[in-house]
C-alpha cells in the first residue's frame, strides 16, 4: 500500500464491491479499510458494497429472487457449495462499526436488499485519523 502522506496515492473516491467478504480474517479486513481511509483525500468517499449475514428467511427470499430470474435450483445450490468456506459474511453492524472505528464520518446505507448492503462513508474534511492506541 502507498503511504498515507503520498499525494500521488490520494483518491477522491474508492469503490469496493464484494471485496471484503473474500478476506477471511477480520483484522485483515479492518487493515484494508484503514488503507482505503489513509489513501482518501479529506472529504473523500468510500462506496462499499458487501454481502452481509443472511438469516434463513432472507436467504430464502434471495434464492426466490434468483429463481424468478431463471436460475435453476441446481445452479443456486452449486454456487452455494462453491462459496462455502470462501466467502465469509459479517452482520451489517460490523461494517458500520469498522468504518466508524477507522475514522469515517457520515456513514449511511445507500442500498440494501437480500443481505447485500451498499455503504457510503465520507472521510472528514479535516483528514485526521482517530488515535489508534
Amino acid at each position: 500500500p502507498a503511504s498515507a502522506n503520498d499525494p500521488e496515492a490520494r483518491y477522491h473516491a474508492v469503490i469496493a464491491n464484494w471485496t471484503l467478504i473474500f478476506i477471511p480474517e477480520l483484522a485483515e479486513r479492518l487493515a484494508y479499510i484503514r488503507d482505503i481511509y489513509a489513501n482518501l483525500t479529506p472529504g473523500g468517499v468510500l462506496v462499499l458494497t458487501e454481502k452481509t449475514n443472511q438469516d434463513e428467511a432472507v436467504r430464502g427470499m434471495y434464492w426466490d429472487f434468483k429463481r424468478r430470474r431463471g436460475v435453476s435450483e441446481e445452479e443456486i445450490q452449486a454456487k452455494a457449495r462453491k462459496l462455502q468456506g470462501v466467502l465469509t459474511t459479517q452482520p451489517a453492524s460490523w461494517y458500520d462499526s469498522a468504518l466508524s472505528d477507522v475514522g469515517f464520518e457520515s456513514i449511511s446505507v445507500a442500498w440494501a436488499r437480500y443481505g447485500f448492503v451498499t455503504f457510503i462513508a465520507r472521510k472528514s474534511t479535516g483528514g485526521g485519523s482517530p488515535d489508534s492506541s
Side-chain angles (χ1 to χ4, degrees):
S3 164
N5 297 319
D6 181 356
E8 296 299 318
R10 295 296 185 109
Y11 302 97
H12 296 290
V14 171
I15 298 172
N17 291 324
W18 306 292
T19 304
L20 298 178
I21 54 177
F22 294 105
I23 301 173
E25 297 297 322
L26 293 181
E28 290 179 32
R29 286 186 197 196
L30 199 53
Y32 186 94
I33 294 170
R34 277 194 181 105
D35 188 51
I36 290 171
Y37 182 88
N39 285 287
L40 279 171
T41 58
V45 174
L46 168 62
V47 178
L48 175 69
T49 302
E50 289 294 320
K51 182 177 184 178
T52 62
N53 288 359
Q54 298 169 321
D55 64 20
E56 198 62 38
V58 173
R59 186 175 310 108
M61 289 188 299
Y62 176 54
W63 288 0
D64 285 344
F65 169 81
K66 288 177 148 188
R67 289 180 194 104
R68 288 191 305 272
R69 274 143 188 78
V71 181
S72 73
E73 190 64 34
E74 182 179 295
E75 291 170 307
I76 291 169
Q77 296 303 322
K79 185 171 182 182
R81 283 190 301 275
K82 284 180 186 178
L83 292 176
Q84 209 166 29
V86 174
L87 179 151
T88 308
T89 61
Q90 292 298 315
S93 60
W94 183 89
Y95 293 96
D96 191 54
S97 294
L99 292 166
S100 178
D101 289 349
V102 229
F104 281 102
E105 297 179 353
S106 184
I107 301 161
S108 58
V109 172
W111 180 87
R113 188 171 187 189
Y114 305 129
F116 294 87
V117 180
T118 299
F119 298 90
I120 297 180
R122 184 173 301 278
K123 184 174 183 174
S124 76
T125 54
S129 159
D131 184 62
S132 59
S133 53

